[in-house]
Coordinates of all heavy atoms in Angstrom, one line a residue:
Chain A
Y32 N -18.1 107.5 -105.8 CA -19.5 107.9 -105.9 C -19.9 108.7 -104.8 O -19.6 108.4 -103.6 CB -20.4 106.6 -106.0 CG -21.9 106.9 -106.3 CD1 -22.3 107.4 -107.5 CD2 -22.8 106.5 -105.3 CE1 -23.7 107.6 -107.7 CE2 -24.1 106.7 -105.5 CZ -24.6 107.2 -106.7 OH -25.9 107.4 -106.9
I34 N -23.1 111.5 -103.1 CA -24.5 111.9 -103.1 C -24.7 113.1 -102.2 O -24.1 113.2 -101.2 CB -25.4 110.7 -102.6 CG1 -25.2 109.4 -103.4 CG2 -26.8 111.1 -102.6 CD1 -25.9 108.2 -102.9
Y36 N -27.7 114.8 -100.0 CA -29.0 114.6 -99.4 C -29.5 115.9 -98.8 O -28.8 116.7 -98.3 CB -28.9 113.5 -98.3 CG -28.9 112.1 -98.7 CD1 -27.7 111.4 -98.9 CD2 -30.1 111.4 -99.0 CE1 -27.7 110.1 -99.3 CE2 -30.1 110.1 -99.4 CZ -28.9 109.4 -99.5 OH -28.9 108.1 -99.9
Q38 N -32.3 117.0 -95.8 CA -33.0 116.5 -94.6 C -33.8 117.6 -94.0 O -33.3 118.5 -93.4 CB -32.1 115.8 -93.6 CG -32.9 115.1 -92.5 CD -32.0 114.3 -91.6 OE1 -30.8 114.6 -91.4 NE2 -32.5 113.3 -90.9
S40 N -36.8 118.8 -91.2 CA -37.0 118.5 -89.8 C -38.0 117.4 -89.7 O -39.1 117.4 -90.3 CB -37.5 119.8 -89.1 OG -37.8 119.5 -87.7
G41 N -37.6 116.4 -88.9 CA -38.6 115.3 -88.6 C -38.6 114.2 -89.7 O -39.5 113.3 -89.7
K42 N -37.8 114.4 -90.7 CA -37.8 113.4 -91.9 C -36.4 112.8 -92.1 O -35.4 113.3 -91.6 CB -38.2 114.2 -93.1 CG -39.6 114.7 -93.1 CD -40.0 115.4 -94.4 CE -41.4 115.9 -94.4 NZ -41.8 116.5 -95.7
G43 N -36.4 111.7 -92.8 CA -35.2 111.1 -93.1 C -34.5 111.8 -94.3 O -35.1 112.6 -95.0
P44 N -33.2 111.6 -94.5 CA -32.5 112.2 -95.7 C -33.2 111.8 -97.0 O -33.6 110.7 -97.2 CB -31.1 111.6 -95.6 CG -31.0 111.2 -94.1 CD -32.3 110.8 -93.7
Q45 N -33.2 112.8 -97.9 CA -33.9 112.6 -99.2 C -32.8 112.9 -100.3 O -32.1 113.9 -100.3 CB -35.0 113.6 -99.3 CG -35.8 113.5 -100.6 CD -36.9 114.5 -100.7 OE1 -37.0 115.4 -99.9 NE2 -37.7 114.4 -101.7
F46 N -32.7 112.0 -101.2 CA -31.8 112.1 -102.3 C -32.0 113.4 -103.1 O -33.1 113.7 -103.5 CB -31.9 110.9 -103.2 CG -31.1 111.0 -104.5 CD1 -29.8 110.5 -104.6 CD2 -31.6 111.5 -105.7 CE1 -29.1 110.6 -105.7 CE2 -30.9 111.6 -106.8 CZ -29.6 111.1 -106.9
I47 N -30.9 114.1 -103.4 CA -31.0 115.3 -104.3 C -30.3 115.0 -105.6 O -31.0 115.1 -106.7 CB -30.4 116.5 -103.7 CG1 -31.0 116.8 -102.3 CG2 -30.5 117.7 -104.6 CD1 -30.2 118.0 -101.6
D49 N -26.5 113.0 -107.5 CA -25.3 112.2 -107.3 C -24.3 112.6 -108.4 O -24.6 113.2 -109.3 CB -25.7 110.7 -107.3 CG -26.3 110.3 -108.5 OD1 -26.6 111.1 -109.5 OD2 -26.7 109.1 -108.6
R51 N -20.5 110.6 -110.1 CA -19.5 109.6 -110.1 C -18.1 110.3 -110.2 O -18.0 111.4 -110.6 CB -19.7 108.6 -111.2 CG -20.9 107.8 -111.1 CD -21.0 106.7 -112.2 NE -22.3 106.1 -112.1 CZ -22.6 105.1 -111.2 NH1 -21.7 104.8 -110.3 NH2 -23.8 104.6 -111.2
F89 N -26.5 117.2 -96.5 CA -25.4 116.3 -96.2 C -24.8 115.8 -97.5 O -25.5 115.5 -98.5 CB -25.8 115.1 -95.5 CG -26.4 115.3 -94.1 CD1 -27.7 115.5 -93.8 CD2 -25.5 115.4 -93.0 CE1 -28.2 115.7 -92.6 CE2 -26.0 115.7 -91.7 CZ -27.3 115.8 -91.5
R93 N -19.8 106.8 -101.0 CA -20.0 105.4 -100.9 C -18.7 104.7 -100.6 O -17.8 104.8 -101.3 CB -20.7 104.9 -102.2 CG -21.1 103.5 -102.1 CD -22.0 103.1 -103.3 NE -21.4 103.2 -104.6 CZ -22.0 103.1 -105.7 NH1 -23.3 102.9 -105.8 NH2 -21.3 103.2 -106.9
W95 N -17.0 100.9 -98.7 CA -16.9 99.5 -98.9 C -18.3 98.9 -98.6 O -19.0 99.2 -97.7 CB -15.9 98.9 -97.9 CG -15.9 97.4 -98.0 CD1 -15.2 96.6 -98.8 CD2 -16.6 96.5 -97.1 NE1 -15.4 95.3 -98.5 CE2 -16.3 95.2 -97.5 CE3 -17.5 96.7 -96.1 CZ2 -16.8 94.1 -96.9 CZ3 -18.0 95.5 -95.4 CH2 -17.7 94.3 -95.9
G96 N -18.7 97.9 -99.5 CA -19.9 97.2 -99.3 C -21.2 98.0 -99.6 O -22.3 97.6 -99.3
G97 N -20.9 99.2 -100.2 CA -22.1 100.1 -100.6 C -22.6 101.0 -99.5 O -23.5 101.7 -99.7
K98 N -21.9 100.9 -98.3 CA -22.4 101.8 -97.2 C -22.1 103.2 -97.5 O -21.1 103.5 -98.1 CB -21.8 101.3 -95.9 CG -20.4 101.6 -95.7 CD -19.9 101.2 -94.3 CE -18.4 101.5 -94.1 NZ -17.9 101.0 -92.8
L99 N -23.0 104.1 -97.0 CA -22.8 105.5 -97.2 C -22.2 106.2 -96.0 O -22.6 105.8 -94.9 CB -24.1 106.2 -97.6 CG -24.7 105.8 -98.9 CD1 -26.0 106.6 -99.1 CD2 -23.8 106.1 -100.0
I100 N -21.2 107.0 -96.2 CA -20.6 107.7 -95.0 C -20.9 109.2 -95.2 O -20.6 109.8 -96.2 CB -19.0 107.5 -95.1 CG1 -18.7 106.0 -95.0 CG2 -18.3 108.2 -94.0 CD1 -17.4 105.6 -95.7
F101 N -21.5 109.7 -94.1 CA -22.1 111.0 -94.2 C -21.2 112.0 -93.5 O -20.5 111.7 -92.5 CB -23.4 111.1 -93.5 CG -24.6 110.5 -94.2 CD1 -24.7 109.1 -94.2 CD2 -25.4 111.2 -95.0 CE1 -25.8 108.5 -94.9 CE2 -26.5 110.6 -95.7 CZ -26.6 109.3 -95.7
G102 N -21.2 113.3 -94.0 CA -20.5 114.4 -93.3 C -21.4 115.0 -92.2 O -22.5 114.5 -92.0
Q103 N -21.0 116.1 -91.6 CA -21.7 116.7 -90.5 C -23.0 117.4 -90.9 O -23.9 117.3 -90.2 CB -20.8 117.7 -89.8 CG -21.4 118.3 -88.6 CD -20.5 119.3 -87.9 OE1 -19.4 119.6 -88.4 NE2 -20.9 119.9 -86.8
G104 N -23.0 118.0 -92.1 CA -24.2 118.7 -92.5 C -24.1 120.2 -92.5 O -23.4 120.7 -91.6
Chain B
R9 N -42.5 106.7 -83.8 CA -41.9 107.9 -84.2 C -41.1 108.6 -83.1 O -40.0 109.2 -83.4 CB -42.9 108.9 -84.7 CG -43.6 108.6 -86.1 CD -42.5 108.5 -87.2 NE -41.6 109.7 -87.3 CZ -41.9 110.8 -87.9 NH1 -43.1 111.0 -88.5 NH2 -41.0 111.8 -87.9
Y33 N -30.3 98.9 -93.6 CA -29.3 99.6 -92.8 C -30.0 100.3 -91.6 O -31.1 100.8 -91.8 CB -28.7 100.7 -93.7 CG -28.2 100.3 -95.0 CD1 -29.1 100.3 -96.1 CD2 -26.9 100.0 -95.3 CE1 -28.7 100.0 -97.4 CE2 -26.5 99.6 -96.6 CZ -27.4 99.6 -97.6 OH -26.9 99.3 -98.9
Y35 N -29.1 103.4 -89.1 CA -28.2 104.5 -88.8 C -28.6 105.2 -87.5 O -29.7 105.3 -87.2 CB -28.2 105.5 -90.0 CG -27.3 105.2 -91.2 CD1 -27.7 104.3 -92.1 CD2 -26.1 105.9 -91.4 CE1 -26.9 104.0 -93.2 CE2 -25.3 105.6 -92.5 CZ -25.7 104.7 -93.4 OH -24.9 104.4 -94.5
Q37 N -28.3 108.9 -85.8 CA -28.1 110.3 -86.1 C -28.2 111.2 -84.8 O -29.3 111.4 -84.4 CB -29.0 110.9 -87.2 CG -28.6 112.3 -87.6 CD -29.5 112.8 -88.8 OE1 -30.6 112.3 -89.0 NE2 -28.9 113.7 -89.5
G40 N -27.4 117.4 -84.8 CA -26.3 118.2 -85.4 C -25.3 117.5 -86.1 O -24.3 118.1 -86.6
Q41 N -25.4 116.2 -86.2 CA -24.4 115.3 -86.9 C -25.0 114.6 -88.1 O -26.3 114.5 -88.2 CB -23.8 114.4 -86.0 CG -23.0 115.0 -84.8 CD -22.3 114.0 -83.9 OE1 -22.1 112.9 -84.3 NE2 -22.0 114.5 -82.7
G42 N -24.2 114.1 -89.0 CA -24.6 113.2 -90.0 C -24.9 111.8 -89.5 O -24.4 111.4 -88.5
P43 N -25.8 111.1 -90.2 CA -26.1 109.7 -89.8 C -24.8 108.8 -89.8 O -23.9 109.0 -90.7 CB -27.0 109.2 -90.9 CG -27.6 110.5 -91.5 CD -26.5 111.5 -91.4
L45 N -23.5 104.8 -89.6 CA -24.0 103.4 -89.8 C -23.8 102.6 -88.6 O -22.7 102.5 -88.0 CB -23.3 102.7 -91.0 CG -23.7 101.3 -91.3 CD1 -25.1 101.2 -91.8 CD2 -22.8 100.7 -92.3
Q48 N -25.6 96.8 -91.1 CA -26.1 96.5 -92.5 C -26.4 95.1 -92.6 O -25.6 94.2 -92.3 CB -25.0 96.9 -93.5 CG -25.4 96.7 -95.0 CD -24.2 97.0 -95.9 OE1 -23.3 97.7 -95.6 NE2 -24.4 96.5 -97.2
V55 N -23.9 92.1 -92.7 CA -22.8 92.4 -93.6 C -21.7 93.2 -92.9 O -20.5 92.9 -93.0 CB -23.2 93.2 -94.9 CG1 -22.1 93.6 -95.7 CG2 -24.2 92.3 -95.7
D56 N -22.2 94.1 -92.1 CA -21.3 95.0 -91.4 C -21.9 95.5 -90.1 O -23.0 96.1 -90.1 CB -20.9 96.2 -92.3 CG -19.9 97.2 -91.6 OD1 -19.5 97.0 -90.5 OD2 -19.5 98.1 -92.3
S58 N -19.6 96.6 -87.6 CA -18.4 97.1 -86.9 C -18.6 98.3 -86.0 O -17.8 98.5 -85.1 CB -17.3 97.4 -87.9 OG -17.8 98.4 -88.8
L91 N -32.4 105.9 -87.8 CA -32.9 105.8 -89.2 C -32.7 104.5 -89.7 O -31.7 103.9 -89.6 CB -32.2 106.9 -90.0 CG -32.4 108.3 -89.7 CD1 -31.3 109.2 -90.4 CD2 -33.7 108.8 -90.2
P98 N -26.4 95.7 -102.0 CA -25.3 96.5 -101.5 C -24.5 97.2 -102.6 O -23.9 98.2 -102.3 CB -24.4 95.4 -100.8 CG -24.7 94.1 -101.5 CD -26.2 94.2 -101.8
T99 N -24.6 96.7 -103.8 CA -23.9 97.4 -104.9 C -24.9 98.2 -105.7 O -24.5 98.9 -106.6 CB -23.1 96.4 -105.8 OG1 -24.0 95.4 -106.3 CG2 -22.0 95.7 -105.0
E100 N -26.2 98.0 -105.4 CA -27.2 98.7 -106.2 C -27.6 99.9 -105.4 O -28.8 100.0 -105.0 CB -28.4 97.8 -106.5 CG -27.9 96.6 -107.4 CD -28.9 95.5 -107.4 OE1 -30.1 95.7 -107.2 OE2 -28.5 94.3 -107.6
T101 N -26.7 100.8 -105.1 CA -27.0 101.9 -104.3 C -26.8 103.2 -105.1 O -26.6 104.3 -104.5 CB -26.1 102.0 -103.0 OG1 -24.7 101.8 -103.5 CG2 -26.5 100.8 -102.1
D102 N -26.9 103.1 -106.4 CA -27.0 104.4 -107.1 C -28.3 105.1 -106.7 O -29.3 104.5 -106.6 CB -27.0 104.1 -108.7 CG -25.7 103.7 -109.2 OD1 -24.7 103.6 -108.4 OD2 -25.6 103.6 -110.4
R103 N -28.1 106.4 -106.5 CA -29.2 107.2 -105.9 C -29.3 107.0 -104.4 O -30.3 107.4 -103.8 CB -30.5 107.1 -106.7 CG -30.4 107.6 -108.1 CD -31.8 107.4 -108.8 NE -32.8 108.3 -108.2 CZ -33.0 109.5 -108.6 NH1 -32.2 110.1 -109.5 NH2 -33.9 110.3 -108.1
G104 N -28.4 106.2 -103.9 CA -28.4 106.0 -102.4 C -29.4 105.1 -102.0 O -30.0 104.3 -102.7
Y105 N -29.7 105.2 -100.7 CA -30.8 104.4 -100.1 C -32.1 105.2 -100.0 O -32.0 106.4 -100.2 CB -30.4 104.0 -98.7 CG -29.0 103.7 -98.3 CD1 -28.5 104.0 -97.1 CD2 -28.2 103.0 -99.2 CE1 -27.3 103.7 -96.7 CE2 -26.9 102.7 -98.8 CZ -26.4 103.0 -97.6 OH -25.2 102.7 -97.2
F107 N -34.6 106.3 -97.2 CA -34.6 106.3 -95.7 C -36.1 106.4 -95.2 O -36.9 107.0 -95.9 CB -33.9 107.6 -95.2 CG -32.4 107.4 -95.2 CD1 -31.6 107.8 -96.3 CD2 -31.7 107.0 -94.1 CE1 -30.3 107.6 -96.3 CE2 -30.4 106.9 -94.0 CZ -29.6 107.2 -95.2
G108 N -36.3 105.9 -94.0 CA -37.5 106.1 -93.3 C -37.4 107.4 -92.6 O -36.4 108.1 -92.6
S109 N -38.5 107.8 -91.9 CA -38.5 109.1 -91.2 C -37.8 109.0 -89.8 O -37.6 110.1 -89.2 CB -40.0 109.5 -91.0 OG -40.6 109.8 -92.2
R112 N -37.2 109.0 -83.0 CA -36.4 109.9 -82.2 C -36.5 109.4 -80.8 O -37.5 109.3 -80.1 CB -37.0 111.4 -82.2 CG -36.3 112.3 -81.3 CD -36.8 113.8 -81.4 NE -36.6 114.3 -82.7 CZ -35.5 114.8 -83.2 NH1 -34.4 114.9 -82.4 NH2 -35.4 115.3 -84.4

Side-chain angles (χ1 to χ4, degrees):
Chain A
Y32 182 68
I34 302 173
Y36 278 96
Q38 187 173 26
S40 181
K42 298 183 179 179
Q45 180 184 10
F46 172 91
I47 302 174
D49 57 359
R51 297 188 184 280
F89 295 96
R93 187 166 61 188
W95 176 85
K98 70 179 181 183
L99 293 180
I100 301 155
F101 287 80
Q103 182 181 6
Chain B
R9 287 300 311 275
Y33 314 82
Y35 276 79
Q37 186 175 23
Q41 298 183 17
L45 179 69
Q48 176 183 346
V55 173
D56 182 355
S58 57
L91 293 163
T99 57
E100 295 160 30
T101 52
D102 282 8
R103 297 179 66 85
Y105 321 146
F107 282 88
S109 294
R112 180 176 296 277

